[in-house]
């Protein structure tokens, strides 16, 4: 049986560190945070969260900060390495050892895969991975699951398509692992060059049915949840490769004629051109709802890790 005490002081580095029961527990606590997101609370009064962002961010950083403020805590941090002593040559290890003297929890985004795990080894306070290169983005996956449960009632039984840059999108990697703990059919749709990482496919294949496609047309009528990501241009080692896939997929109203009436479309945002803005005003579009759900989900994580949730 999972209990709140299982999360106290815990790092959140990879979605693979969590069992299905633990994830379901977090999603339940997020539900309990909904009223507190409206009224505010002093659950984390006196606690300080540090956001160390070495890469651009809008939603992840602002929603962690919003979550902390709504629970009565405070926030310090920086939103680009140019503003920190990293520019003077300070190491990530030293940065973390300094910041833990100020804050009870560290939220870290970094371009290097493995950076969050590395930081957690040095820090005596919990570290939350807010994106580690192309590798993982576990809190985004949790808010994606929370959105699916809220919109569809449950995750089991659904056919879920992950579409776009399956190679470099860290949101996709964490979400694919998380979904493989449920009874779902997964359809991966991408240009050939951006197929899902082999090691992830091998890992999840034994647990769930997995299909790979290069186009959405044939499979769209079966899909309950369509999760779209932008091409992660900044992660391409060779810009000529990016040029080959730029603009190669796009969801618009014409394509959606073949969709189930109750299809939901999710996107971690930012969007570039892969979902046409004309889709925004249809009942399919849930990506702005996802943003709102990110706040309650992160409230739940902060409250759990900082020991504010009693059994
Ligand atoms: C994503 C990220 O940073 O990985 N954004 C987010 O956190 N919501 C997705 C992206 O950049 O495409």
């Amino acid at each position: 049986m999972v209990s709140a005490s299982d999360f106290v002081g815990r790092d959140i580095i990879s979605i693979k560190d969590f069992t299905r029961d633990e994830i379901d527990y977090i999603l339940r606590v997020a539900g309990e945070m909904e009223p507190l997101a409206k009224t505010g609370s002093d659950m984390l009064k006196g606690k300080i969260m540090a956001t160390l962002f070495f890469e651009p961010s809008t939603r992840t950083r602002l929603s962690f900060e919003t979550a902390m403020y709504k629970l009565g805590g405070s926030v310090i941090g920086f939103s680009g390495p140019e503003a920190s002593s990293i520019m003077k040559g300070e190491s990530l290890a030293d940065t973390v050892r300094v910041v833990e003297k100020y804050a009870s929890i560290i939220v870290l985004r970094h371009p290097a895969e493995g950076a969050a795990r590395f930081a957690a080894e040095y820090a005596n306070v919990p570290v939350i991975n807010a994106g580690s290169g192309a590798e993982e983005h576990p809190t985004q996956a949790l808010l994606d699951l929370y959105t699916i449960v809220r919109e569809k009632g449950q995750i089991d039984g659904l056919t879920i398509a992950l579409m776009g840059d399956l190679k470099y999108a860290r949101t996709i990697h964490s979400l694919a692992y998380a979904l493989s703990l449920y009874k779902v059919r997964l359809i991966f749709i991408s240009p050939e060059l951006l197929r899902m990482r082999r090691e992830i496919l091998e890992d999840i294949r034994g647990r769930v049915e997995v299909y790979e496609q290069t186009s959405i047309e044939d499979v769209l009528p079966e899909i309950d949840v369509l999760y779209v990501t932008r091409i992660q241009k900044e992660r391409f080692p060779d810009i000529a490769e990016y040029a080959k896939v730029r603009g190669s997929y796009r969801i618009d109203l014409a394509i959606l004629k073949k969709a189930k009436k109750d299809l939901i479309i999710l996107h971690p945002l930012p969007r570039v051109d892969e979902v046409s803005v004309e889709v925004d005003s249809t009942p399919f579009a849930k990506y702005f709802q996802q943003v709102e759900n990110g706040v309650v989900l992160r409230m739940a994580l902060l409250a759990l890790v900082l020991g504010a949730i009693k059994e």
Side-chain angles (χ1 to χ4, degrees):
M1 263 284 283
V2 179
S3 71
S5 60
D6 297 339
F7 298 92
V8 180
R10 197 159 158 184
D11 300 312
I12 300 178
I13 305 299
S14 167
I15 200 73
K16 289 187 260 182
D17 299 337
F18 292 84
T19 64
R20 171 171 171 164
D21 285 349
E22 287 174 334
I23 291 175
D24 287 339
Y25 189 96
I26 294 168
L27 303 187
R28 267 201 306 282
V29 175
E32 289 162 18
M33 290 292 161
E34 297 266 357
L36 297 187
K38 297 208 167 62
T39 58
S41 152
D42 60 2
M43 216 179 243
L44 294 182
K45 192 154 181 266
K47 301 279 187 195
I48 295 179
M49 173 185 78
T51 52
L52 311 186
F53 276 57
F54 294 89
E55 270 193 348
S57 170
T58 299
R59 275 148 296 273
T60 305
R61 188 172 61 83
L62 295 184
S63 69
F64 264 111
E65 295 190 1
T66 304
M68 193 62 181
Y69 285 126
K70 283 187 186 276
L71 292 173
S74 313
V75 179
I76 59 170
F78 53 80
S79 54
E82 63 287 350
S84 75
S85 286
I86 295 279
M87 288 309 275
K88 300 182 193 166
E90 188 162 48
S91 66
L92 179 60
D94 280 0
T95 304
V96 161
R97 281 186 289 206
V98 167
V99 170
E100 72 171 18
K101 301 287 184 254
Y102 309 135
S104 335
I105 188 161
I106 293 173
V107 180
L108 176 79
R109 170 170 286 191
H110 199 280
E113 300 196 5
R117 181 83 64 198
F118 174 83
E121 277 163 20
Y122 281 93
N124 291 307
V125 298
V127 172
I128 299 185
N129 179 5
S132 47
E135 178 192 36
E136 276 222 51
H137 193 346
T139 68
Q140 177 72 41
L142 290 168
L143 81 87
D144 297 336
L145 296 185
Y146 183 67
T147 304
I148 297 173
V149 172
R150 249 178 134 250
E151 298 296 330
K152 292 287 187 188
Q154 59 172 19
I155 299 168
D156 288 329
L158 297 175
T159 295
I160 300 176
L162 307 187
M163 178 177 186
D165 186 345
L166 309 185
K167 184 172 183 181
Y168 295 116
R170 55 194 174 199
T171 58
I172 291 280
H173 302 152
S174 293
L175 183 58
Y177 276 119
L179 287 171
S180 74
L181 302 175
Y182 294 82
K183 295 184 181 60
V184 293
R185 288 171 70 220
L186 290 182
I187 306 178
F188 296 139
I189 308 166
S190 72
E192 193 63 40
L193 277 177
L194 300 178
R195 282 171 67 181
M196 181 60 104
R197 289 185 174 194
R198 298 293 97 186
E199 70 267 23
I200 298 182
L201 273 179
E202 275 160 31
D203 255 21
I204 66 176
R205 230 176 208 141
R207 290 198 291 275
V208 283
E209 278 178 64
V210 176
Y211 306 89
E212 286 188 278
Q213 298 279 336
T214 50
S215 125
I216 191 170
E217 266 84 12
D218 295 344
V219 286
L220 181 61
E222 305 163 30
I223 298 172
D224 299 301
V225 178
L226 173 61
Y227 191 96
V228 188
T229 57
R230 74 181 171 94
I231 298 182
Q232 313 276 306
K233 181 180 176 187
E234 70 279 20
R235 308 246 183 255
F236 280 66
D238 178 356
I239 203 68
E241 291 293 288
Y242 168 70
K244 288 185 198 159
V245 288
R246 184 178 53 200
S248 56
Y249 57 95
R250 183 179 171 88
I251 300 299
D252 58 19
L253 292 183
I255 285 182
L256 288 170
K257 288 209 173 77
K258 288 205 210 133
K260 281 189 178 180
K261 288 280 159 292
D262 60 352
L263 167 77
I264 61 167
I265 300 176
L266 304 182
H267 191 309
L269 302 178
R271 154 180 57 190
V272 182
D273 56 7
E274 57 285 343
V275 178
S276 166
V277 287
E278 65 193 16
V279 177
D280 297 359
S281 53
T282 69
F284 301 125
K286 299 296 176 197
Y287 26 89
F288 291 109
Q289 184 58 46
Q290 241 173 308
V291 173
E292 193 174 333
N293 296 342
V295 174
V296 289
L297 191 282
R298 290 177 172 125
M299 287 170 73
L301 288 177
L302 292 171
L304 281 165
V305 171
L306 290 172
I309 305 283
K310 303 290 165 241
E311 299 306 325

